[in-house]
Amino acid sequence: MEKTVLITGCSSGFGKLAAKKFQSEGWNVIATMRSPEKETELNKLDNIFVTALDVTSNESVKKAVSDGLDKFGKIDALVNNAGYGGHSFLEQFTEEQIYAMFETNVFGVMRVCREVLPHMRKQKSGSVINITSMAGYMGLTLTSTYSATKWAVEGLTESMAMEYKPFGINVKAIAPGAFGTNFVASSDNNFEGGDDEIQTASAKIGAHFMTVVQQMQEQSGQVADPQEVADKIYECVTEDMPVHNIVGADAEMLKGMIDSMPRQQFIDTLDEMLLPKD
Ligand SMILES: NC(=O)c1ccc[n+]([C@@H]2O[C@H](COP(=O)([O-])OP(=O)(O)OC[C@H]3O[C@@H](n4cnc5c(N)ncnc54)[C@H](OP(=O)(O)O)[C@@H]3O)[C@@H](O)[C@H]2O)c1
């Protein structure tokens, strides 16, 4: 019998690629997005049901899950992919910006899970994949709020994996490194926030940070292909994979560093790499 996946954030990036990957493997796909009226590609493919879902709205989540079930009868896998980033010092964000990022990246994931899990329990099987980030494994300057959201979802995932295993439901996280999607363009930064001192510091550290990242990318000579993430999502749903997964050459490199040295040494090494010397 055909299987069905529901994916959040299918308008671009990993979500769109994952929708196409599952479809090409013979799955039914409930491809959800905030503005389905703008979609021109997925709605032309067989067995893809494009529908509206804003992870910050209970009503929207309930309707998308219910309409998806009406269309395909069941949901075998859920991919919580919708999310966004933002760089700035903690003080630079407004309280509204901080709450909004948690609303999407953390409470959005919980909201969709809570709507889908009862159906998975009824069928005694299912897979839930939460897309986190390497920022969910490690801190980075200018990344405190985003890192807090993704770290929260790594913890959520590990606990959920234990809670839901007895019901035949697998829960896994995938932490991507940096990939060229709409992620940077859709990031909610606020470099104008905070007082003069914090603005000067964030401008200086941000410029240095970008130079280091560009140098690392030039040295590695590799362009990260977002398809890698879509393939990893499919693998995590269809293969026996661990709870925590990473994807991307930079993610592998950083995880290698995390695993090979005491945590404080890793933090000091990153500081040395990323903070300007004067
Ligand atoms: N690209 C990277 O380097 C990277 C690295 C680590 C982790 N990630 C994570 O990967 C996930 C996907 O990001 P991406 O790189 O594919 O970026 P992307 O191209 O910007 O895609 C993000 C998707 O999330 C959707 N979204 C945002 N807020 C939403 C909401 N309230 N409800 C429903 N959908 C919402 C966006 O929809 P709209 O078009 O409506 O805005 C878009 O479809 C995110 O969770 C991100 O944090 C990305």
Side-chain angles (χ1 to χ4, degrees):
M1 194 181 171
E2 278 175 351
K3 296 204 165 203
T4 300
V5 60
L6 185 150
I7 307 173
T8 64
C10 287
S11 66
S12 64
F14 306 148
K16 177 167 269 191
L17 290 169
K20 291 199 274 186
K21 169 71 180 170
F22 277 90
Q23 191 268 354
S24 72
E25 298 285 349
W27 284 59
N28 296 320
V29 181
I30 307 165
T32 72
M33 57 191 72
R34 281 191 288 196
S35 309
E37 68 283 358
K38 293 187 190 155
E39 181 56 33
T40 56
E41 191 184 358
L42 296 181
N43 44 15
K44 296 202 176 69
L45 299 175
D46 289 341
N47 303 329
I48 294 195
F49 172 52
V50 175
T51 195
L53 191 160
D54 179 339
V55 300
T56 65
S57 155
N58 282 330
E59 202 186 316
S60 168
V61 170
K62 275 184 196 304
K63 181 161 177 16
V65 170
S66 158
D67 290 353
L69 284 168
D70 284 349
K71 175 83 181 162
F72 294 126
K74 63 192 178 97
I75 297 172
D76 300 284
L78 163 66
V79 181
N80 287 303
N81 162 74
Y84 67 92
H87 293 291
S88 290
F89 273 59
L90 178 63
E91 291 169 78
Q92 295 190 288
F93 284 125
T94 63
E95 194 172 303
E96 289 73 23
Q97 283 179 301
I98 294 171
Y99 275 73
M101 198 184 286
F102 271 83
E103 191 59 60
T104 296
N105 291 5
V106 182
F107 300 126
V109 173
M110 291 178 161
R111 189 172 281 119
V112 182
C113 284
R114 284 161 58 87
E115 195 59 31
V116 172
L117 283 165
H119 302 283
M120 289 184 170
R121 276 194 293 111
K122 223 180 274 170
Q123 70 203 17
K124 298 186 175 15
S125 67
S127 276
V128 177
I129 308 295
N130 296 328
I131 305 304
T132 59
S133 167
M134 278 312 287
Y137 276 79
M138 53 187 272
L140 269 178
T141 186
L142 296 171
T143 312
S144 48
T145 303
Y146 180 64
S147 190
T149 67
K150 293 298 186 176
W151 209 301
V153 179
E154 283 286 339
L156 172 75
T157 305
E158 191 168 296
S159 295
M160 279 181 64
M162 295 177 194
E163 284 176 2
Y164 285 92
K165 194 175 169 191
F167 301 99
I169 300 168
N170 297 310
V171 187
K172 293 166 193 163
I174 299 175
F179 287 87
T181 58
N182 282 354
F183 182 74
V184 171
S186 59
S187 285
D188 183 29
N189 307 315
N190 193 357
F191 294 116
E192 296 77 35
D195 60 27
D196 288 350
E197 184 182 41
I198 212 87
Q199 284 182 27
T200 307
S202 77
K204 186 173 167 187
I205 291 170
H208 183 74
F209 182 88
M210 287 316 294
T211 310
V212 173
V213 170
Q214 270 162 13
Q215 279 168 356
M216 280 167 63
Q217 282 170 347
E218 279 162 21
Q219 275 163 16
S220 79
Q222 287 175 322
V223 179
D225 181 357
Q227 185 61 42
E228 267 186 75
V229 180
D231 293 346
K232 180 65 85 176
I233 293 170
Y234 186 75
E235 192 184 359
C236 282
V237 169
T238 55
E239 308 279 331
D240 186 16
M241 299 290 280
V243 171
H244 298 285
N245 299 273
I246 58 169
V247 56
D250 56 348
E252 302 270 0
M253 191 267 286
L254 288 163
K255 186 67 171 46
M257 285 171 70
I258 291 169
D259 292 344
S260 69
M261 57 182 83
R263 189 73 188 190
Q264 189 56 49
Q265 192 185 338
F266 172 70
I267 293 167
D268 293 342
T269 307
L270 269 191
D271 265 0
E272 186 65 25
M273 281 163 66
L274 297 177
L275 294 184
K277 299 289 168 291
D278 48 24

